[in-house]
Amino acid sequence: MPKEKDLQLFWSHDYYRKEDFNTYDFEKDNKKIEALIKNNLNAYNVFSYFIKKEYLDSKDGCTLESIWLTKNAIAEIFLYNLKTNEWELVKKKSSNILPPYADNNFFISHFPNLFLKQNKAVNEEKTFPSDLK
């Protein structure tokens, strides 16, 4: 999840606007996404929303598109720490559905302190002759 609103808008409005999710190619898209964020990981919070196998209800058939959870399911939410290169447990939460893949506010609403607030006023940059040296 992008930390800043401008980057969030890029992904929700610019990047995914033209996607047809009926013919979506996850493997091809993963390569494009990796190329876009690879050198800018500090601008993102990388989460893992983990459900243990014991909480998966497979009687109706689990697929990549539809995963059913038991009524007492607990999600473990991890945040990837770029400094230590380790996953850190940040919250356990009862869950009846998985959060949406894209264009959602799940992580922002649960962890607002991890996301940067947008400035309401835009600072204008000025160049002075002394800056041109």
Side-chain angles (χ1 to χ4, degrees):
M1 286 291 305
K3 293 178 183 178
E4 294 186 13
K5 188 72 171 169
D6 292 344
L7 206 47
Q8 291 166 12
L9 289 172
F10 163 76
W11 288 102
S12 64
H13 292 110
D14 296 336
Y15 186 81
Y16 286 111
R17 182 184 332 169
K18 297 176 185 173
E19 289 295 334
D20 177 6
F21 288 101
N22 294 317
T23 59
Y24 193 69
D25 184 342
F26 285 99
E27 189 173 326
K28 182 180 173 185
D29 196 48
N30 281 341
K31 291 176 185 175
K32 287 193 300 188
I33 291 172
E34 183 179 343
L36 286 169
I37 68 172
K38 184 173 159 180
N39 295 323
N40 196 20
L41 278 177
N42 287 328
Y44 296 87
N45 289 310
V46 181
F47 291 97
S48 172
Y49 191 94
F50 180 75
I51 304 282
K52 291 181 181 178
K53 187 176 180 178
E54 66 192 76
Y55 297 121
L56 299 180
D57 184 356
S58 60
K59 70 178 180 219
D60 293 324
C62 287
T63 66
L64 183 61
E65 295 82 19
S66 63
I67 298 173
W68 306 100
L69 305 177
T70 61
K71 289 184 181 179
N72 61 344
I74 302 291
E76 294 176 322
I77 303 171
F78 294 87
L79 177 65
Y80 190 73
N81 184 324
L82 292 171
K83 292 177 184 170
T84 63
N85 292 324
E86 293 181 0
W87 290 99
E88 297 175 353
L89 179 65
V90 290
K91 189 175 200 174
K92 287 187 178 185
K93 177 184 179 341
S94 64
S95 181
N96 57 359
I97 60 169
L98 296 176
Y101 283 94
D103 197 21
N104 71 88
N105 289 320
F106 177 85
F107 294 107
I108 296 168
S109 64
H110 281 80
F111 307 102
N113 58 317
L114 296 175
F115 296 90
L116 303 175
K117 303 271 189 253
Q118 289 299 106
N119 292 335
K120 293 188 179 187
V122 176
N123 294 332
E124 184 179 331
E125 289 188 31
K126 295 180 181 176
T127 304
F128 298 97
S130 60
D131 295 333
L132 299 176
K133 293 179 185 174

